[in-house]
Amino acid sequence: MATLFNGAAPLIPVSERDALKKAIYKIDARRKGRLKSLKSAWPKFNDAFCDGLEWRTITVVGARPGTGKTLFMEQLISDIIEHNADHEFRILKFQFEMLDETNGIRKLSLNTGYDYNSLMSKGEPLDDSVFDKCVELYHKTKDKDLIDVVYDPCTVDVMCATIHNHMEMHSKMVKNKDGELEKKYTNMLITIDHSALFKVAKGELNKFEMLYVLGEALTYMKKHYPIAFVVLSQLNRNIDNPDRAKDGEYGNYVLDSDLFGADALLQHADVVLGINKPSIRKIRQYGPERFIIDNDDILVFHFLKSRNGLTKMSFFKLDRALMRIVEIEPPAQATLLFTKK
């Protein structure tokens, strides 16, 4: 029987050889294609991970309002379903910000290329052919019913209970190598929109304390289940400080300290991504490299932390004709153009 110390029960260490054994199993599964990452439609995004989102990881995405983070999340989910058809997984969304029907309209917008206002017949009635396409898309989801959504705001504890229940619901008993039955959980991509909308529970003083609890809960869950988390978060308002909107300044960039509750989430996240839209702050020469921002729909993805990779900056653009975020090459740099002259 373990000896208590000041009333606390000890943790029982395990041999590090167990970690090596698990590592070998994982390496073997990766090289033989039994374990794969979730690929998106963005090669630069996939490259920031290990060929896409890895299981048992936490990715935090921070952005200010108006930068397209909701479109980013919805496109990421749709593209992952499309590009990983040979992968067995489900998706659980915690969608606290929108009504279910609004979420549905945004989903149809992404898949039809028509924006929200067009689908809602702003200005003129929606064309019958577009409406029929929406209905067709709905019927197609019958064969790809992989997504479940929680719309009611909740505490972190309720989130954990929901995830546990969902994992149990979609588990099955399979025979292992020894012919014995054991429980197998279905891989689950879990998205959260967004972190600050969780309710503050009893015993938590404020949102910041809740975020610390959330970080610990996400880490616990990823260790116990085959889960990949993608969490949307706000950026602090200081990124809108006029001093940071001056052309060609380092302050143009999204920094890890800009993430709302940065200390609470950064230490738990495997990957931290900050999305910036320079045109919102009228920046036309972005950062010390002075990238020329000649299009209001250019987005900059700042990979601020990558536990198993490199931090970097990549450029994207909102293609309004397709209602999709697409990769682009880095814009020309004003400093280089000036040097050439």
PDB file of all heavy atoms in Angstrom, residues 56-60 94 156 159-160 163 190 192 195 198 211-225 227-231 264-265 268-270:
ATOM      1  N   ARG A  56      -3.632  13.421 -30.929  1.00  0.00           N
ATOM      2  CA  ARG A  56      -3.151  13.712 -29.573  1.00  0.00           C
ATOM      3  C   ARG A  56      -2.342  15.009 -29.529  1.00  0.00           C
ATOM      4  O   ARG A  56      -1.282  15.084 -28.899  1.00  0.00           O
ATOM      5  CB  ARG A  56      -2.346  12.531 -29.008  1.00  0.00           C
ATOM      6  CG  ARG A  56      -3.161  11.233 -28.925  1.00  0.00           C
ATOM      7  CD  ARG A  56      -2.371  10.108 -28.269  1.00  0.00           C
ATOM      8  NE  ARG A  56      -3.091   8.844 -28.338  1.00  0.00           N
ATOM      9  CZ  ARG A  56      -3.992   8.416 -27.455  1.00  0.00           C
ATOM     10  NH1 ARG A  56      -4.317   9.188 -26.435  1.00  0.00           N
ATOM     11  NH2 ARG A  56      -4.579   7.241 -27.599  1.00  0.00           N
ATOM     12  N   THR A  57      -2.848  16.016 -30.237  1.00  0.00           N
ATOM     13  CA  THR A  57      -2.216  17.336 -30.226  1.00  0.00           C
ATOM     14  C   THR A  57      -3.271  18.414 -29.996  1.00  0.00           C
ATOM     15  O   THR A  57      -4.470  18.190 -30.184  1.00  0.00           O
ATOM     16  CB  THR A  57      -1.480  17.648 -31.548  1.00  0.00           C
ATOM     17  OG1 THR A  57      -2.413  17.612 -32.642  1.00  0.00           O
ATOM     18  CG2 THR A  57      -0.354  16.665 -31.805  1.00  0.00           C
ATOM     19  N   ILE A  58      -2.792  19.594 -29.598  1.00  0.00           N
ATOM     20  CA  ILE A  58      -3.644  20.765 -29.379  1.00  0.00           C
ATOM     21  C   ILE A  58      -3.132  21.892 -30.265  1.00  0.00           C
ATOM     22  O   ILE A  58      -1.958  22.270 -30.171  1.00  0.00           O
ATOM     23  CB  ILE A  58      -3.604  21.222 -27.903  1.00  0.00           C
ATOM     24  CG1 ILE A  58      -4.063  20.091 -26.975  1.00  0.00           C
ATOM     25  CG2 ILE A  58      -4.471  22.462 -27.704  1.00  0.00           C
ATOM     26  CD1 ILE A  58      -3.761  20.367 -25.506  1.00  0.00           C
ATOM     27  N   THR A  59      -3.987  22.405 -31.130  1.00  0.00           N
ATOM     28  CA  THR A  59      -3.646  23.544 -31.982  1.00  0.00           C
ATOM     29  C   THR A  59      -4.524  24.722 -31.586  1.00  0.00           C
ATOM     30  O   THR A  59      -5.757  24.609 -31.561  1.00  0.00           O
ATOM     31  CB  THR A  59      -3.884  23.217 -33.472  1.00  0.00           C
ATOM     32  OG1 THR A  59      -3.058  22.109 -33.844  1.00  0.00           O
ATOM     33  CG2 THR A  59      -3.542  24.421 -34.359  1.00  0.00           C
ATOM     34  N   VAL A  60      -3.906  25.848 -31.268  1.00  0.00           N
ATOM     35  CA  VAL A  60      -4.630  27.056 -30.879  1.00  0.00           C
ATOM     36  C   VAL A  60      -4.481  28.085 -32.000  1.00  0.00           C
ATOM     37  O   VAL A  60      -3.358  28.360 -32.455  1.00  0.00           O
ATOM     38  CB  VAL A  60      -4.104  27.636 -29.552  1.00  0.00           C
ATOM     39  CG1 VAL A  60      -4.813  28.947 -29.220  1.00  0.00           C
ATOM     40  CG2 VAL A  60      -4.296  26.635 -28.418  1.00  0.00           C
ATOM     41  N   PHE A  94     -17.580  22.205 -30.795  1.00  0.00           N
ATOM     42  CA  PHE A  94     -18.193  23.040 -29.769  1.00  0.00           C
ATOM     43  C   PHE A  94     -18.350  24.428 -30.387  1.00  0.00           C
ATOM     44  O   PHE A  94     -17.385  25.177 -30.519  1.00  0.00           O
ATOM     45  CB  PHE A  94     -17.317  23.081 -28.504  1.00  0.00           C
ATOM     46  CG  PHE A  94     -17.345  21.801 -27.719  1.00  0.00           C
ATOM     47  CD1 PHE A  94     -16.490  20.751 -28.055  1.00  0.00           C
ATOM     48  CD2 PHE A  94     -18.234  21.632 -26.665  1.00  0.00           C
ATOM     49  CE1 PHE A  94     -16.511  19.562 -27.345  1.00  0.00           C
ATOM     50  CE2 PHE A  94     -18.257  20.438 -25.947  1.00  0.00           C
ATOM     51  CZ  PHE A  94     -17.401  19.399 -26.289  1.00  0.00           C
ATOM     52  N   VAL A 156     -15.845  23.980 -18.498  1.00  0.00           N
ATOM     53  CA  VAL A 156     -14.811  23.053 -18.968  1.00  0.00           C
ATOM     54  C   VAL A 156     -15.125  21.633 -18.507  1.00  0.00           C
ATOM     55  O   VAL A 156     -14.947  20.670 -19.255  1.00  0.00           O
ATOM     56  CB  VAL A 156     -13.422  23.493 -18.468  1.00  0.00           C
ATOM     57  CG1 VAL A 156     -12.370  22.444 -18.803  1.00  0.00           C
ATOM     58  CG2 VAL A 156     -13.040  24.845 -19.078  1.00  0.00           C
ATOM     59  N   MET A 159     -17.634  20.154 -20.749  1.00  0.00           N
ATOM     60  CA  MET A 159     -16.988  19.799 -22.015  1.00  0.00           C
ATOM     61  C   MET A 159     -16.300  18.439 -21.895  1.00  0.00           C
ATOM     62  O   MET A 159     -16.438  17.576 -22.770  1.00  0.00           O
ATOM     63  CB  MET A 159     -15.950  20.859 -22.409  1.00  0.00           C
ATOM     64  CG  MET A 159     -15.171  20.520 -23.671  1.00  0.00           C
ATOM     65  SD  MET A 159     -13.556  21.357 -23.818  1.00  0.00           S
ATOM     66  CE  MET A 159     -12.580  20.443 -22.601  1.00  0.00           C
ATOM     67  N   CYS A 160     -15.552  18.249 -20.812  1.00  0.00           N
ATOM     68  CA  CYS A 160     -14.836  16.981 -20.622  1.00  0.00           C
ATOM     69  C   CYS A 160     -15.810  15.816 -20.530  1.00  0.00           C
ATOM     70  O   CYS A 160     -15.575  14.745 -21.108  1.00  0.00           O
ATOM     71  CB  CYS A 160     -13.979  17.050 -19.363  1.00  0.00           C
ATOM     72  SG  CYS A 160     -12.565  18.165 -19.509  1.00  0.00           S
ATOM     73  N   ILE A 163     -17.096  15.070 -24.022  1.00  0.00           N
ATOM     74  CA  ILE A 163     -16.104  14.368 -24.843  1.00  0.00           C
ATOM     75  C   ILE A 163     -15.999  12.911 -24.403  1.00  0.00           C
ATOM     76  O   ILE A 163     -15.988  11.996 -25.240  1.00  0.00           O
ATOM     77  CB  ILE A 163     -14.732  15.069 -24.739  1.00  0.00           C
ATOM     78  CG1 ILE A 163     -14.787  16.449 -25.406  1.00  0.00           C
ATOM     79  CG2 ILE A 163     -13.639  14.214 -25.388  1.00  0.00           C
ATOM     80  CD1 ILE A 163     -13.537  17.285 -25.205  1.00  0.00           C
ATOM     81  N   ILE A 190     -11.662  17.457 -32.618  1.00  0.00           N
ATOM     82  CA  ILE A 190     -12.552  18.290 -31.799  1.00  0.00           C
ATOM     83  C   ILE A 190     -12.189  19.758 -31.999  1.00  0.00           C
ATOM     84  O   ILE A 190     -11.043  20.159 -31.790  1.00  0.00           O
ATOM     85  CB  ILE A 190     -12.449  17.911 -30.311  1.00  0.00           C
ATOM     86  CG1 ILE A 190     -12.872  16.446 -30.118  1.00  0.00           C
ATOM     87  CG2 ILE A 190     -13.314  18.833 -29.461  1.00  0.00           C
ATOM     88  CD1 ILE A 190     -12.808  15.962 -28.696  1.00  0.00           C
ATOM     89  N   ILE A 192     -13.150  23.894 -31.202  1.00  0.00           N
ATOM     90  CA  ILE A 192     -13.775  24.755 -30.191  1.00  0.00           C
ATOM     91  C   ILE A 192     -13.799  26.191 -30.707  1.00  0.00           C
ATOM     92  O   ILE A 192     -12.763  26.766 -31.028  1.00  0.00           O
ATOM     93  CB  ILE A 192     -13.006  24.689 -28.855  1.00  0.00           C
ATOM     94  CG1 ILE A 192     -13.047  23.263 -28.296  1.00  0.00           C
ATOM     95  CG2 ILE A 192     -13.579  25.678 -27.855  1.00  0.00           C
ATOM     96  CD1 ILE A 192     -12.172  23.055 -27.072  1.00  0.00           C
ATOM     97  N   SER A 195     -12.447  29.752 -27.252  1.00  0.00           N
ATOM     98  CA  SER A 195     -12.057  29.389 -25.887  1.00  0.00           C
ATOM     99  C   SER A 195     -12.665  30.295 -24.816  1.00  0.00           C
ATOM    100  O   SER A 195     -13.031  29.824 -23.738  1.00  0.00           O
ATOM    101  CB  SER A 195     -10.531  29.402 -25.762  1.00  0.00           C
ATOM    102  OG  SER A 195     -10.012  30.684 -26.063  1.00  0.00           O
ATOM    103  N   PHE A 198     -16.345  29.635 -22.942  1.00  0.00           N
ATOM    104  CA  PHE A 198     -16.698  28.670 -21.910  1.00  0.00           C
ATOM    105  C   PHE A 198     -17.188  29.425 -20.675  1.00  0.00           C
ATOM    106  O   PHE A 198     -16.713  30.518 -20.363  1.00  0.00           O
ATOM    107  CB  PHE A 198     -15.491  27.810 -21.529  1.00  0.00           C
ATOM    108  CG  PHE A 198     -15.236  26.678 -22.467  1.00  0.00           C
ATOM    109  CD1 PHE A 198     -14.214  26.758 -23.403  1.00  0.00           C
ATOM    110  CD2 PHE A 198     -16.007  25.533 -22.432  1.00  0.00           C
ATOM    111  CE1 PHE A 198     -13.976  25.719 -24.275  1.00  0.00           C
ATOM    112  CE2 PHE A 198     -15.779  24.484 -23.294  1.00  0.00           C
ATOM    113  CZ  PHE A 198     -14.761  24.570 -24.231  1.00  0.00           C
ATOM    114  N   LEU A 211      -9.298  29.613 -18.384  1.00  0.00           N
ATOM    115  CA  LEU A 211      -8.427  29.200 -19.487  1.00  0.00           C
ATOM    116  C   LEU A 211      -7.311  28.276 -19.002  1.00  0.00           C
ATOM    117  O   LEU A 211      -6.883  27.373 -19.726  1.00  0.00           O
ATOM    118  CB  LEU A 211      -7.849  30.423 -20.193  1.00  0.00           C
ATOM    119  CG  LEU A 211      -8.832  31.227 -21.046  1.00  0.00           C
ATOM    120  CD1 LEU A 211      -8.176  32.486 -21.592  1.00  0.00           C
ATOM    121  CD2 LEU A 211      -9.378  30.384 -22.196  1.00  0.00           C
ATOM    122  N   TYR A 212      -6.806  28.511 -17.786  1.00  0.00           N
ATOM    123  CA  TYR A 212      -5.807  27.591 -17.223  1.00  0.00           C
ATOM    124  C   TYR A 212      -6.423  26.203 -17.032  1.00  0.00           C
ATOM    125  O   TYR A 212      -5.790  25.185 -17.332  1.00  0.00           O
ATOM    126  CB  TYR A 212      -5.292  28.125 -15.883  1.00  0.00           C
ATOM    127  CG  TYR A 212      -4.202  29.167 -16.023  1.00  0.00           C
ATOM    128  CD1 TYR A 212      -4.479  30.525 -15.874  1.00  0.00           C
ATOM    129  CD2 TYR A 212      -2.886  28.789 -16.308  1.00  0.00           C
ATOM    130  CE1 TYR A 212      -3.488  31.474 -16.006  1.00  0.00           C
ATOM    131  CE2 TYR A 212      -1.885  29.742 -16.437  1.00  0.00           C
ATOM    132  CZ  TYR A 212      -2.189  31.078 -16.289  1.00  0.00           C
ATOM    133  OH  TYR A 212      -1.206  32.023 -16.427  1.00  0.00           O
ATOM    134  N   VAL A 213      -7.649  26.189 -16.541  1.00  0.00           N
ATOM    135  CA  VAL A 213      -8.352  24.912 -16.356  1.00  0.00           C
ATOM    136  C   VAL A 213      -8.586  24.249 -17.712  1.00  0.00           C
ATOM    137  O   VAL A 213      -8.414  23.030 -17.859  1.00  0.00           O
ATOM    138  CB  VAL A 213      -9.698  25.146 -15.631  1.00  0.00           C
ATOM    139  CG1 VAL A 213     -10.509  23.853 -15.559  1.00  0.00           C
ATOM    140  CG2 VAL A 213      -9.457  25.687 -14.222  1.00  0.00           C
ATOM    141  N   LEU A 214      -8.939  25.047 -18.717  1.00  0.00           N
ATOM    142  CA  LEU A 214      -9.165  24.511 -20.061  1.00  0.00           C
ATOM    143  C   LEU A 214      -7.890  23.884 -20.619  1.00  0.00           C
ATOM    144  O   LEU A 214      -7.920  22.774 -21.170  1.00  0.00           O
ATOM    145  CB  LEU A 214      -9.654  25.626 -20.992  1.00  0.00           C
ATOM    146  CG  LEU A 214      -9.818  25.243 -22.478  1.00  0.00           C
ATOM    147  CD1 LEU A 214     -10.852  24.140 -22.646  1.00  0.00           C
ATOM    148  CD2 LEU A 214     -10.189  26.479 -23.313  1.00  0.00           C
ATOM    149  N   GLY A 215      -6.766  24.591 -20.479  1.00  0.00           N
ATOM    150  CA  GLY A 215      -5.496  24.059 -20.976  1.00  0.00           C
ATOM    151  C   GLY A 215      -5.162  22.718 -20.349  1.00  0.00           C
ATOM    152  O   GLY A 215      -4.755  21.778 -21.043  1.00  0.00           O
ATOM    153  N   GLU A 216      -5.347  22.623 -19.037  1.00  0.00           N
ATOM    154  CA  GLU A 216      -5.060  21.363 -18.338  1.00  0.00           C
ATOM    155  C   GLU A 216      -6.019  20.262 -18.793  1.00  0.00           C
ATOM    156  O   GLU A 216      -5.623  19.100 -18.956  1.00  0.00           O
ATOM    157  CB  GLU A 216      -5.168  21.583 -16.827  1.00  0.00           C
ATOM    158  CG  GLU A 216      -4.050  22.462 -16.272  1.00  0.00           C
ATOM    159  CD  GLU A 216      -4.242  22.786 -14.805  1.00  0.00           C
ATOM    160  OE1 GLU A 216      -5.291  22.380 -14.244  1.00  0.00           O
ATOM    161  OE2 GLU A 216      -3.353  23.435 -14.216  1.00  0.00           O
ATOM    162  N   ALA A 217      -7.280  20.629 -19.030  1.00  0.00           N
ATOM    163  CA  ALA A 217      -8.278  19.643 -19.456  1.00  0.00           C
ATOM    164  C   ALA A 217      -7.974  19.120 -20.856  1.00  0.00           C
ATOM    165  O   ALA A 217      -8.085  17.909 -21.119  1.00  0.00           O
ATOM    166  CB  ALA A 217      -9.672  20.272 -19.415  1.00  0.00           C
ATOM    167  N   LEU A 218      -7.578  20.003 -21.759  1.00  0.00           N
ATOM    168  CA  LEU A 218      -7.251  19.573 -23.119  1.00  0.00           C
ATOM    169  C   LEU A 218      -6.063  18.612 -23.111  1.00  0.00           C
ATOM    170  O   LEU A 218      -6.044  17.607 -23.833  1.00  0.00           O
ATOM    171  CB  LEU A 218      -6.937  20.784 -23.997  1.00  0.00           C
ATOM    172  CG  LEU A 218      -8.070  21.795 -24.222  1.00  0.00           C
ATOM    173  CD1 LEU A 218      -7.590  22.943 -25.112  1.00  0.00           C
ATOM    174  CD2 LEU A 218      -9.301  21.141 -24.823  1.00  0.00           C
ATOM    175  N   THR A 219      -5.054  18.933 -22.304  1.00  0.00           N
ATOM    176  CA  THR A 219      -3.880  18.062 -22.202  1.00  0.00           C
ATOM    177  C   THR A 219      -4.265  16.696 -21.643  1.00  0.00           C
ATOM    178  O   THR A 219      -3.813  15.657 -22.124  1.00  0.00           O
ATOM    179  CB  THR A 219      -2.800  18.723 -21.328  1.00  0.00           C
ATOM    180  OG1 THR A 219      -2.358  19.928 -21.961  1.00  0.00           O
ATOM    181  CG2 THR A 219      -1.606  17.803 -21.149  1.00  0.00           C
ATOM    182  N   TYR A 220      -5.105  16.696 -20.615  1.00  0.00           N
ATOM    183  CA  TYR A 220      -5.556  15.427 -20.030  1.00  0.00           C
ATOM    184  C   TYR A 220      -6.292  14.602 -21.083  1.00  0.00           C
ATOM    185  O   TYR A 220      -6.043  13.394 -21.226  1.00  0.00           O
ATOM    186  CB  TYR A 220      -6.476  15.703 -18.841  1.00  0.00           C
ATOM    187  CG  TYR A 220      -7.067  14.444 -18.232  1.00  0.00           C
ATOM    188  CD1 TYR A 220      -6.382  13.736 -17.247  1.00  0.00           C
ATOM    189  CD2 TYR A 220      -8.305  13.965 -18.661  1.00  0.00           C
ATOM    190  CE1 TYR A 220      -6.918  12.573 -16.700  1.00  0.00           C
ATOM    191  CE2 TYR A 220      -8.848  12.798 -18.126  1.00  0.00           C
ATOM    192  CZ  TYR A 220      -8.156  12.110 -17.144  1.00  0.00           C
ATOM    193  OH  TYR A 220      -8.690  10.962 -16.627  1.00  0.00           O
ATOM    194  N   MET A 221      -7.194  15.236 -21.821  1.00  0.00           N
ATOM    195  CA  MET A 221      -8.006  14.515 -22.804  1.00  0.00           C
ATOM    196  C   MET A 221      -7.164  13.950 -23.944  1.00  0.00           C
ATOM    197  O   MET A 221      -7.379  12.828 -24.397  1.00  0.00           O
ATOM    198  CB  MET A 221      -9.093  15.444 -23.363  1.00  0.00           C
ATOM    199  CG  MET A 221     -10.242  15.673 -22.408  1.00  0.00           C
ATOM    200  SD  MET A 221     -11.206  14.161 -22.192  1.00  0.00           S
ATOM    201  CE  MET A 221     -12.323  14.622 -20.884  1.00  0.00           C
ATOM    202  N   LYS A 222      -6.183  14.717 -24.417  1.00  0.00           N
ATOM    203  CA  LYS A 222      -5.376  14.225 -25.544  1.00  0.00           C
ATOM    204  C   LYS A 222      -4.489  13.057 -25.117  1.00  0.00           C
ATOM    205  O   LYS A 222      -4.077  12.244 -25.939  1.00  0.00           O
ATOM    206  CB  LYS A 222      -4.530  15.349 -26.150  1.00  0.00           C
ATOM    207  CG  LYS A 222      -3.278  15.707 -25.368  1.00  0.00           C
ATOM    208  CD  LYS A 222      -2.361  16.628 -26.139  1.00  0.00           C
ATOM    209  CE  LYS A 222      -1.051  16.859 -25.387  1.00  0.00           C
ATOM    210  NZ  LYS A 222      -0.116  17.722 -26.117  1.00  0.00           N
ATOM    211  N   LYS A 223      -4.162  12.975 -23.815  1.00  0.00           N
ATOM    212  CA  LYS A 223      -3.354  11.861 -23.329  1.00  0.00           C
ATOM    213  C   LYS A 223      -4.175  10.583 -23.191  1.00  0.00           C
ATOM    214  O   LYS A 223      -3.635   9.481 -23.256  1.00  0.00           O
ATOM    215  CB  LYS A 223      -2.726  12.217 -21.976  1.00  0.00           C
ATOM    216  CG  LYS A 223      -1.587  13.212 -22.067  1.00  0.00           C
ATOM    217  CD  LYS A 223      -0.984  13.464 -20.697  1.00  0.00           C
ATOM    218  CE  LYS A 223       0.214  14.401 -20.775  1.00  0.00           C
ATOM    219  NZ  LYS A 223       0.802  14.648 -19.425  1.00  0.00           N
ATOM    220  N   HIS A 224      -5.482  10.745 -22.992  1.00  0.00           N
ATOM    221  CA  HIS A 224      -6.325   9.583 -22.716  1.00  0.00           C
ATOM    222  C   HIS A 224      -7.126   9.099 -23.920  1.00  0.00           C
ATOM    223  O   HIS A 224      -7.623   7.962 -23.906  1.00  0.00           O
ATOM    224  CB  HIS A 224      -7.281   9.898 -21.559  1.00  0.00           C
ATOM    225  CG  HIS A 224      -6.611   9.917 -20.220  1.00  0.00           C
ATOM    226  ND1 HIS A 224      -5.851  10.984 -19.796  1.00  0.00           N
ATOM    227  CD2 HIS A 224      -6.556   8.995 -19.222  1.00  0.00           C
ATOM    228  CE1 HIS A 224      -5.373  10.728 -18.577  1.00  0.00           C
ATOM    229  NE2 HIS A 224      -5.776   9.530 -18.218  1.00  0.00           N
ATOM    230  N   TYR A 225      -7.267   9.940 -24.928  1.00  0.00           N
ATOM    231  CA  TYR A 225      -8.065   9.552 -26.099  1.00  0.00           C
ATOM    232  C   TYR A 225      -7.338   9.939 -27.393  1.00  0.00           C
ATOM    233  O   TYR A 225      -6.535  10.894 -27.399  1.00  0.00           O
ATOM    234  CB  TYR A 225      -9.424  10.256 -26.077  1.00  0.00           C
ATOM    235  CG  TYR A 225     -10.303   9.899 -24.910  1.00  0.00           C
ATOM    236  CD1 TYR A 225     -10.657  10.864 -23.959  1.00  0.00           C
ATOM    237  CD2 TYR A 225     -10.818   8.609 -24.763  1.00  0.00           C
ATOM    238  CE1 TYR A 225     -11.479  10.547 -22.889  1.00  0.00           C
ATOM    239  CE2 TYR A 225     -11.645   8.291 -23.697  1.00  0.00           C
ATOM    240  CZ  TYR A 225     -11.971   9.260 -22.760  1.00  0.00           C
ATOM    241  OH  TYR A 225     -12.780   8.942 -21.705  1.00  0.00           O
ATOM    242  N   ILE A 227      -7.361  12.002 -29.875  1.00  0.00           N
ATOM    243  CA  ILE A 227      -8.039  13.265 -30.180  1.00  0.00           C
ATOM    244  C   ILE A 227      -7.057  14.250 -30.781  1.00  0.00           C
ATOM    245  O   ILE A 227      -5.878  14.268 -30.436  1.00  0.00           O
ATOM    246  CB  ILE A 227      -8.637  13.872 -28.882  1.00  0.00           C
ATOM    247  CG1 ILE A 227      -9.871  13.087 -28.426  1.00  0.00           C
ATOM    248  CG2 ILE A 227      -8.987  15.336 -29.055  1.00  0.00           C
ATOM    249  CD1 ILE A 227     -10.388  13.519 -27.070  1.00  0.00           C
ATOM    250  N   ALA A 228      -7.548  15.094 -31.693  1.00  0.00           N
ATOM    251  CA  ALA A 228      -6.806  16.276 -32.140  1.00  0.00           C
ATOM    252  C   ALA A 228      -7.705  17.482 -31.889  1.00  0.00           C
ATOM    253  O   ALA A 228      -8.841  17.523 -32.374  1.00  0.00           O
ATOM    254  CB  ALA A 228      -6.451  16.171 -33.620  1.00  0.00           C
ATOM    255  N   PHE A 229      -7.216  18.431 -31.100  1.00  0.00           N
ATOM    256  CA  PHE A 229      -7.977  19.645 -30.794  1.00  0.00           C
ATOM    257  C   PHE A 229      -7.550  20.797 -31.706  1.00  0.00           C
ATOM    258  O   PHE A 229      -6.354  21.006 -31.933  1.00  0.00           O
ATOM    259  CB  PHE A 229      -7.729  20.093 -29.350  1.00  0.00           C
ATOM    260  CG  PHE A 229      -8.437  19.287 -28.303  1.00  0.00           C
ATOM    261  CD1 PHE A 229      -7.738  18.380 -27.521  1.00  0.00           C
ATOM    262  CD2 PHE A 229      -9.798  19.446 -28.087  1.00  0.00           C
ATOM    263  CE1 PHE A 229      -8.375  17.636 -26.540  1.00  0.00           C
ATOM    264  CE2 PHE A 229     -10.453  18.704 -27.102  1.00  0.00           C
ATOM    265  CZ  PHE A 229      -9.738  17.797 -26.328  1.00  0.00           C
ATOM    266  N   VAL A 230      -8.538  21.569 -32.199  1.00  0.00           N
ATOM    267  CA  VAL A 230      -8.273  22.861 -32.834  1.00  0.00           C
ATOM    268  C   VAL A 230      -9.143  23.878 -32.103  1.00  0.00           C
ATOM    269  O   VAL A 230     -10.379  23.774 -32.121  1.00  0.00           O
ATOM    270  CB  VAL A 230      -8.596  22.867 -34.333  1.00  0.00           C
ATOM    271  CG1 VAL A 230      -8.292  24.249 -34.923  1.00  0.00           C
ATOM    272  CG2 VAL A 230      -7.792  21.797 -35.063  1.00  0.00           C
ATOM    273  N   VAL A 231      -8.492  24.841 -31.453  1.00  0.00           N
ATOM    274  CA  VAL A 231      -9.190  25.786 -30.574  1.00  0.00           C
ATOM    275  C   VAL A 231      -9.038  27.202 -31.122  1.00  0.00           C
ATOM    276  O   VAL A 231      -7.918  27.693 -31.296  1.00  0.00           O
ATOM    277  CB  VAL A 231      -8.616  25.733 -29.143  1.00  0.00           C
ATOM    278  CG1 VAL A 231      -9.407  26.646 -28.220  1.00  0.00           C
ATOM    279  CG2 VAL A 231      -8.617  24.299 -28.616  1.00  0.00           C
ATOM    280  N   ALA A 264      -1.918  30.840 -20.291  1.00  0.00           N
ATOM    281  CA  ALA A 264      -2.759  29.689 -19.971  1.00  0.00           C
ATOM    282  C   ALA A 264      -2.770  28.656 -21.087  1.00  0.00           C
ATOM    283  O   ALA A 264      -2.805  27.453 -20.835  1.00  0.00           O
ATOM    284  CB  ALA A 264      -4.190  30.160 -19.680  1.00  0.00           C
ATOM    285  N   LEU A 265      -2.763  29.111 -22.331  1.00  0.00           N
ATOM    286  CA  LEU A 265      -2.906  28.191 -23.467  1.00  0.00           C
ATOM    287  C   LEU A 265      -1.576  27.813 -24.118  1.00  0.00           C
ATOM    288  O   LEU A 265      -1.416  26.694 -24.606  1.00  0.00           O
ATOM    289  CB  LEU A 265      -3.840  28.809 -24.512  1.00  0.00           C
ATOM    290  CG  LEU A 265      -5.306  28.949 -24.101  1.00  0.00           C
ATOM    291  CD1 LEU A 265      -6.113  29.648 -25.196  1.00  0.00           C
ATOM    292  CD2 LEU A 265      -5.922  27.593 -23.786  1.00  0.00           C
ATOM    293  N   HIS A 268       0.288  24.617 -23.042  1.00  0.00           N
ATOM    294  CA  HIS A 268      -0.369  23.347 -23.344  1.00  0.00           C
ATOM    295  C   HIS A 268      -0.434  23.067 -24.843  1.00  0.00           C
ATOM    296  O   HIS A 268      -0.534  21.903 -25.243  1.00  0.00           O
ATOM    297  CB  HIS A 268      -1.787  23.339 -22.773  1.00  0.00           C
ATOM    298  CG  HIS A 268      -1.836  23.308 -21.285  1.00  0.00           C
ATOM    299  ND1 HIS A 268      -1.651  22.156 -20.554  1.00  0.00           N
ATOM    300  CD2 HIS A 268      -2.021  24.298 -20.371  1.00  0.00           C
ATOM    301  CE1 HIS A 268      -1.737  22.430 -19.267  1.00  0.00           C
ATOM    302  NE2 HIS A 268      -1.962  23.724 -19.118  1.00  0.00           N
ATOM    303  N   ALA A 269      -0.382  24.108 -25.668  1.00  0.00           N
ATOM    304  CA  ALA A 269      -0.561  23.932 -27.112  1.00  0.00           C
ATOM    305  C   ALA A 269       0.670  23.300 -27.753  1.00  0.00           C
ATOM    306  O   ALA A 269       1.802  23.587 -27.375  1.00  0.00           O
ATOM    307  CB  ALA A 269      -0.855  25.280 -27.767  1.00  0.00           C
ATOM    308  N   ASP A 270       0.424  22.441 -28.733  1.00  0.00           N
ATOM    309  CA  ASP A 270       1.506  21.887 -29.545  1.00  0.00           C
ATOM    310  C   ASP A 270       1.834  22.818 -30.704  1.00  0.00           C
ATOM    311  O   ASP A 270       2.985  22.936 -31.120  1.00  0.00           O
ATOM    312  CB  ASP A 270       1.108  20.504 -30.078  1.00  0.00           C
ATOM    313  CG  ASP A 270       0.882  19.509 -28.951  1.00  0.00           C
ATOM    314  OD1 ASP A 270       1.877  19.016 -28.405  1.00  0.00           O
ATOM    315  OD2 ASP A 270      -0.291  19.249 -28.616  1.00  0.00           O
TER     316      ASP A 270
END
